[in-house]
Amino acid sequence: MATEEAKTVVPESVLKKRKREEQWALAKKQELDARKKKARENRKLIFGRAQQYAKEYESQERELIRLKREARMKGGFYVSPEAKLLFIIRIRGINAMHPKTRKILQLLRLRQIFNGVFLKVNKATMNMLQRVEPYVTYGYPNLKSVRELIYKRGYGKLNKQRIPLTDNLVVEQGLGKHGIICVEDLVHEIMTVGPHFKEANNFLWPFKLKAPLGGLKKKRNHYVEGGDAGNREAYINELIRRMN
Amino acid sequence: MIKLFSRRRFDMVAFRFHQYQVVGRALPTAADEHPKIYRMKLWATNEVRAKSKFWYFLRKLKKVKKSNGQVLAINEIFERKPTKIKNYGIWLRYQSRTGYHNMYKEYRDTTLNGAVEQMYNEMASRHRVRHHCIQIIKTATIPSKLCKRESTKQFHDSKIKFPLVFKKVRPPTRKLKTTYKASRPNLFM
């Protein structure tokens, strides 16, 4: 006990250090409180968004059914719009490849066998796919596929590093400036090829899938002739289930 | 030749070939605002292959390709009366080692898909023709009078009788079903 009488000499550096530590502790507490508050607000925001997305997905499905029924009643056809989103999986190895197709696969970030990426559909990408068709299989993923892939095998590119998407903070750090602050936002952006699809897709490291349980039918042939390569439209989902 | 037990019948759902109706047309262009719409019924294992087959045939008949056309609708066609036994006649065109031939075959089955599957199996076994070398021209249900093949006509007998030559020994409950049994079964009727 340092009383007035028994005055121990406290070195000035210790006093300074104590003061500094107080300040740091205070700053830390403030920061922690601010972060907690922000996280709580974020949580509400994320929940609201997730609800809105769930409604959106459901209404999209019902809309499709309604339009088809309407067309059939009138004796016409409802042609649903072509898919905007593709999921590509590389199914062949790296040996003996033409340099041009090798380059295209590199551009698509498919450098390893059973790597998968999402891709927006437009004339440019479709032409690229045409060149590499014998080496990949692709199709139209549904919501469950997109969700499962991102939740189970989603990794983000932060500072050129492959960081697992364990927390919404990772997503926020990577894509916060585009308004994507949680994994559900990311799923929504990918699924409904949104305005920031390019950034969101690039943020996602290419998916490293396992070899498909139950096997592939015949890599060397196109899907249409009994094999595996090329466009298999909705049946990509079944393959993703086996490879995820 | 009388063929008993000529068809393996486990046709719960596992048809390999499904019948699809594919409707398509060329894409509208400046020259032709409302191109003609074509419909085709074909057999394929799934819808993706059905669409591809559709373009294959349509290319041979009209000047249109998948790149300048669109599929308007693809629906699976199911059997109307899958419990009624019918005689199916199938006209086909197939490629053998030496050239193309036409054929007419008859099958007795409950569903058209079943008959088509029988046809593919038979062509593969009897003539070594794989399924991608076979084109189905036409199928029809044939009334019994007009059947031409002995092997289907032999069943057109309302008082048909044939002996069961051996007894199928089954365990009384599925629980007692095993791969190996201690003694051989007695198949005597």
Side-chain angles (χ1 to χ4, degrees), chain A:
Chain A
M1 268 202 316
T3 57
E4 289 296 306
E5 275 84 40
K7 229 202 266 191
T8 47
V9 179
V10 180
E12 195 173 326
S13 60
V14 176
L15 291 172
K16 278 194 187 168
K17 180 77 183 203
R18 277 197 203 143
K19 188 146 72 166
R20 255 182 291 149
E21 284 186 344
E22 261 176 44
Q23 285 177 346
W24 286 342
L26 189 65
K28 205 162 173 203
K29 188 163 161 305
Q30 282 177 343
E31 199 194 311
L32 199 63
D33 284 339
R35 222 167 354 131
K36 272 220 189 110
K37 189 150 156 281
K38 188 163 172 294
R40 224 169 327 142
E41 281 173 11
N42 250 6
R43 204 74 211 156
K44 284 199 213 111
L45 184 63
I46 292 170
F47 185 78
R49 284 199 195 171
Q51 258 187 335
Q52 175 209 338
Y53 295 151
K55 230 189 303 181
E56 205 180 294
Y57 296 138
E58 207 184 307
S59 75
Q60 268 176 9
E61 288 183 19
R62 293 246 65 105
E63 183 75 10
L64 178 66
I65 295 174
R66 184 184 71 81
L67 286 168
K68 280 208 162 157
R69 285 187 180 157
E70 199 180 307
R72 206 175 312 155
M73 265 204 306
K74 302 210 181 100
F77 302 102
Y78 175 71
V79 186
S80 41
E82 290 172 20
K84 292 184 285 187
L85 174 70
L86 290 173
F87 187 69
I88 319 175
I89 305 176
R90 179 172 175 163
I91 51 175
R92 299 199 72 164
I94 54 174
N95 309 88
M97 280 187 68
H98 189 277
K100 285 223 169 99
T101 55
R102 198 173 51 201
K103 179 70 177 177
I104 296 181
L105 283 172
Q106 280 174 15
L107 291 173
L108 294 167
R109 299 191 295 160
L110 297 169
R111 281 177 188 258
Q112 195 181 28
I113 190 175
F114 302 137
N115 270 5
V117 293
F118 289 107
L119 194 66
K120 183 162 52 174
V121 169
N122 53 40
K123 185 88 166 71
T125 56
M126 287 314 283
N127 281 358
M128 281 168 87
L129 277 182
Q130 234 177 348
R131 290 294 287 266
V132 298
E133 228 172 67
Y135 294 87
V136 299
T137 180
Y138 58 95
Y140 314 137
N142 58 21
L143 178 60
K144 184 174 155 100
S145 297
V146 176
R147 271 229 179 94
E148 288 198 341
L149 281 168
I150 295 184
Y151 275 94
K152 182 169 182 187
R153 290 190 193 264
Y155 285 75
K157 183 163 62 165
L158 285 176
N159 287 338
K160 306 207 176 134
Q161 292 181 334
R162 183 171 182 253
I163 312 285
L165 299 176
T166 45
D167 198 350
N168 285 331
L169 288 173
V170 180
V171 179
E172 187 167 352
Q173 233 183 320
L175 297 169
K177 60 174 166 314
H178 302 297
I180 300 176
I181 56 172
C182 60
V183 179
E184 270 306 315
D185 275 346
L186 184 56
V187 168
H188 178 258
E189 189 72 20
I190 299 281
M191 188 68 202
T192 67
V193 182
H196 299 292
F197 177 84
K198 180 180 151 101
E199 288 83 6
N201 196 18
N202 201 283
F203 169 72
L204 284 172
W205 202 274
F207 296 94
K208 292 176 184 291
L209 305 167
K210 70 169 172 246
L213 297 171
L216 293 170
K217 218 46 208 281
K218 195 178 192 190
K219 273 204 266 198
R220 289 171 279 140
N221 285 4
H222 197 280
Y223 183 72
V224 161
E225 38 179 28
D228 291 297
N231 192 354
R232 60 169 75 194
E233 302 183 10
Y235 292 90
I236 194 78
N237 294 307
E238 181 259 343
L239 184 61
I240 292 174
R241 301 279 172 280
R242 290 191 289 139
M243 291 179 82
N244 199 8

Side-chain angles (χ1 to χ4, degrees), chain B residues 144-155:
Chain B
S144 310
K145 300 203 268 302
L146 304 174
C147 281
K148 288 166 48 177
R149 303 282 186 250
E150 274 310 313
S151 54
T152 54
K153 289 200 336 198
Q154 71 185 338
F155 290 108

